Amino acid sequence: MKLIYCYTLVVLLVATGSCNKILDTTPQDFVHPSNYYNSEMELESALAGVYDRLGDNRMYSQGMACYLVFSDEFFMKSQTSGINANIIDASTLEINRHWESIYVGIERANMLLENIDKATSVSEQRRNEIKGQALFLRGYYYFMLADEFGSVPLKLQSSKNPYEPPLPGTPVAQVYEQIIKDMKKAEGLVRTISDYGYNTRITKTAVQGILARVYLTMAGAPLNDVSKYAEARKYADSVIQSGVHKLNPDFRQIYINHVREAFDTGEGIWEVEFKGANKNEIQEGGMIGSYNGITCGNRDTGYGYDYVHATAKLYNAYDPGDLRRDWTVAPFRFVTTGQTVVRTAWAADQLYERSNGKWRREYETLLPRDQNYTGTNWPLLRYADVLLMFAEADNEVNNGPSQQAYMAINMVRRRGYGKDVGSADPAIDAPAGLSKQDFQDLIMSERLRELAFEGLRKHDLVRWGIYPSTMQAQIREYQSNMPAALRDPAIAQAQRITERSVLFPIPNSELAVNPNIQQNPGW
């Protein structure tokens, strides 16, 4: 990997206090690493720089909420060109910027890890806490790269000069070995979520929950190392047994909290923090709720670009009594006539016209609302996801679901219907005596219902080895049932997902400077 040398001259953000949230920052001039990393404040600012890449537009502010994670749960309405139409190749700007954002995060993590011990005035405990977060984030960034691009350069030291030889792609299995190594080391260094009271920092249960996700991924395609199911089960169970997390009894409140910038550390284990509206502010606003929100052309209610539309498959995956349906798939849009905004219901048969309804801008507290930017946080790991990962891994380990697996999935299902998660309900609970395959099928459906629009569906379909086939089936669904006004662009978007689409192309920005890396098959 050959990075532009100026990446080593990073913009470092100075935190206002060691326990403040990452976005409580003030700007600093460019500085050279040799003159930095000497105090707790400087270590915190460097760590903020590592976190910073998560909020880039081509990361979780926008791309990882829609056009980088095309799946069977949504299509991009009437989009016929560019990334929004799923037209990509090695020259696509968003793919190039996505790759670059991740590697900038890695570079910053490497720099911090190399220099952290210079701060001799900082206690070892404090340095370990910062080191653990940097290690985890480096591992997480490599997890994204391996998941999306396959064999990538594994760069574990910062760039010292612009003439360093570029690295070849490292085999995927070896990249995962480093991911596991970094995350396991981080687990013993980071603090608990109770120490903070908010969930935008890396904490012990965040590490454990993401480790469960990593191991589940390794157990599936492309590695198919089924021995990793046991590790996935163990780490998911560690989160459960920690006792610090619980399901929010109201599914809707999870997303209202995201919009209101309110922290729920029971359900929300790890979130990307956005704040403000990018107007003469230091804080970084995102585009959650505007770019992927409910149809609306009025700022007073909260502008929505009307891009991300639910599929009938997603809507029909819910039973009528499942309260998640009409929150996840908005049953209305906002119609503006002059100065009047009217909430208007969709007709019963207008399924494909409906938008993602999870992050509703009407709940924003920062007024006046900006057309583009919001302070809505993005969920990277929720407790419901951990329960479903546990159930999936347990089913594999035991060659069928144990009572613990049933309890985990039933808690998620009960909450979806507004019931007490701890009380059995035969009308809602998973049927007893399911076979291993039937239980896996139920898990796959439940993950669709619970985690829709949260950027995980494509990842799940890939690791289950069914991404291209699932999307080809969507083409037939669109051809048969989608309204003519929406049909052709949606079909074209799905048609572009073939076997090569399991991985993104290696970007031209990398190919141009790295003769040692190979392009992915089909690109």
Side-chain angles (χ1 to χ4, degrees), residues 353-384:
E353 287 82 354
R354 305 183 186 211
S355 306
N356 168 10
K358 278 192 167 177
W359 297 279
R360 303 187 178 190
R361 298 198 64 186
E362 61 193 282
Y363 291 98
E364 289 177 23
T365 56
L366 179 63
L367 302 175
R369 297 179 177 91
D370 184 75
Q371 176 170 324
N372 295 314
Y373 292 101
T374 75
T376 299
N377 284 359
W378 178 257
L380 285 173
L381 181 65
R382 292 198 287 113
Y383 187 55

Side-chain angles (χ1 to χ4, degrees), residues 67 70 76 79-89 92-94 291 493 496:
Y67 55 70
F70 268 96
M76 299 290 274
Q79 299 300 296
T80 59
S81 63
I83 191 73
N84 277 345
N86 199 26
I87 299 173
I88 64 171
D89 58 29
T92 301
L93 175 64
E94 288 80 5
Y291 204 83
Q493 291 166 26
R496 296 183 181 110

Side-chain angles (χ1 to χ4, degrees), residues 39-50:
S39 68
E40 183 172 337
M41 183 175 290
E42 290 175 351
L43 294 183
E44 272 291 334
S45 68
L47 180 62
V50 184

Side-chain angles (χ1 to χ4, degrees), residues 101-117:
S101 288
I102 296 174
Y103 269 111
V104 170
I106 290 169
E107 179 76 356
R108 293 176 180 178
N110 286 337
M111 292 169 61
L112 176 54
L113 292 168
E114 290 166 4
N115 290 280
I116 193 168
D117 289 333

Side-chain angles (χ1 to χ4, degrees), residues 48-324:
V50 184
Y51 275 97
D52 172 71
R53 293 297 78 204
L54 294 170
D56 187 83
N57 264 9
R58 277 79 180 200
M59 295 282 279
Y60 292 106
S61 171
Q62 186 184 98
M64 294 299 288
C66 46
Y67 55 70
L68 292 179
V69 289
F70 268 96
S71 77
D72 57 342
E73 66 190 4
F74 75 91
F75 65 99
M76 299 290 274
K77 178 191 173 186
S78 303
Q79 299 300 296
T80 59
S81 63
I83 191 73
N84 277 345
N86 199 26
I87 299 173
I88 64 171
D89 58 29
S91 68
T92 301
L93 175 64
E94 288 80 5
I95 300 297
N96 281 259
R97 293 285 176 83
H98 183 66
W99 171 281
E100 291 164 8
S101 288
I102 296 174
Y103 269 111
V104 170
I106 290 169
E107 179 76 356
R108 293 176 180 178
N110 286 337
M111 292 169 61
L112 176 54
L113 292 168
E114 290 166 4
N115 290 280
I116 193 168
D117 289 333
K118 287 171 53 180
T120 55
S121 63
V122 180
S123 70
E124 182 179 7
Q125 179 182 3
R126 188 76 184 97
R127 277 184 284 134
N128 282 342
E129 176 192 349
I130 294 170
K131 181 179 181 180
Q133 293 174 73
L135 277 168
F136 174 85
L137 287 168
R138 183 174 72 177
Y140 186 76
Y141 286 136
Y142 272 119
F143 178 43
M144 294 184 72
L145 286 169
D147 193 41
E148 297 168 355
F149 295 94
S151 173
V152 296
L154 185 61
K155 190 173 186 294
L156 302 177
Q157 294 181 337
S158 65
S159 298
K160 305 301 188 296
N161 67 73
Y163 306 108
E164 295 175 0
L167 298 174
T170 301
V172 173
Q174 291 183 28
V175 178
Y176 272 99
E177 287 177 8
Q178 185 63 46
I179 293 166
I180 295 298
K181 181 179 179 180
D182 280 354
M183 290 188 177
K184 282 188 173 182
K185 189 170 183 180
E187 182 188 9
L189 297 174
V190 298
R191 295 165 66 179
T192 69
I193 199 167
S194 303
D195 291 329
Y196 294 112
Y198 53 88
N199 53 19
T200 54
R201 291 258 187 175
I202 304 304
T203 59
K204 189 175 294 293
T205 47
V207 174
Q208 293 165 343
I210 295 297
L211 272 168
R213 184 180 294 170
V214 170
Y215 278 121
L216 266 185
T217 306
M218 296 173 73
L223 296 179
N224 295 307
D225 183 355
V226 296
S227 69
K228 296 299 187 289
Y229 281 118
E231 293 296 314
R233 184 190 186 281
K234 180 181 78 173
Y235 278 100
D237 193 47
S238 294
V239 179
I240 296 169
Q241 297 305 320
S242 72
V244 299
H245 296 290
K246 61 182 179 180
L247 294 176
N248 190 312
D250 185 349
F251 181 77
R252 301 170 304 169
Q253 193 62 42
I254 300 167
Y255 308 97
I256 295 172
N257 287 339
H258 293 160
V259 176
R260 288 179 173 169
E261 304 179 57
F263 294 101
D264 171 10
T265 60
E267 174 90 25
I269 301 175
W270 182 29
E271 296 174 6
V272 180
E273 183 184 6
F274 295 103
K275 192 174 181 66
N278 285 12
K279 301 298 182 183
N280 301 314
E281 299 167 337
I282 300 157
Q283 291 91 356
E284 180 178 43
M287 298 188 74
I288 307 305
S290 64
Y291 204 83
N292 63 341
I294 297 174
T295 304
C296 182
N298 186 289
R299 292 190 188 185
D300 293 338
T301 310
Y303 196 92
Y305 277 90
D306 195 26
Y307 286 147
V308 178
H309 277 231
T311 61
K313 177 178 181 176
L314 174 61
Y315 183 88
N316 290 326
Y318 300 95
D319 291 332
D322 193 329
L323 302 179
R324 295 173 294 186

Side-chain angles (χ1 to χ4, degrees), residues 226 229 391-402 405-406 431 433-444:
V226 296
Y229 281 118
E392 182 176 353
D394 180 271
N395 183 48
E396 293 288 342
V397 169
N398 294 306
N399 200 34
S402 70
Y406 269 104
L434 289 177
S435 68
K436 176 183 175 181
Q437 185 58 55
D438 287 343
F439 194 79
Q440 173 64 15
D441 291 344
L442 179 61
I443 287 288
M444 295 165 75

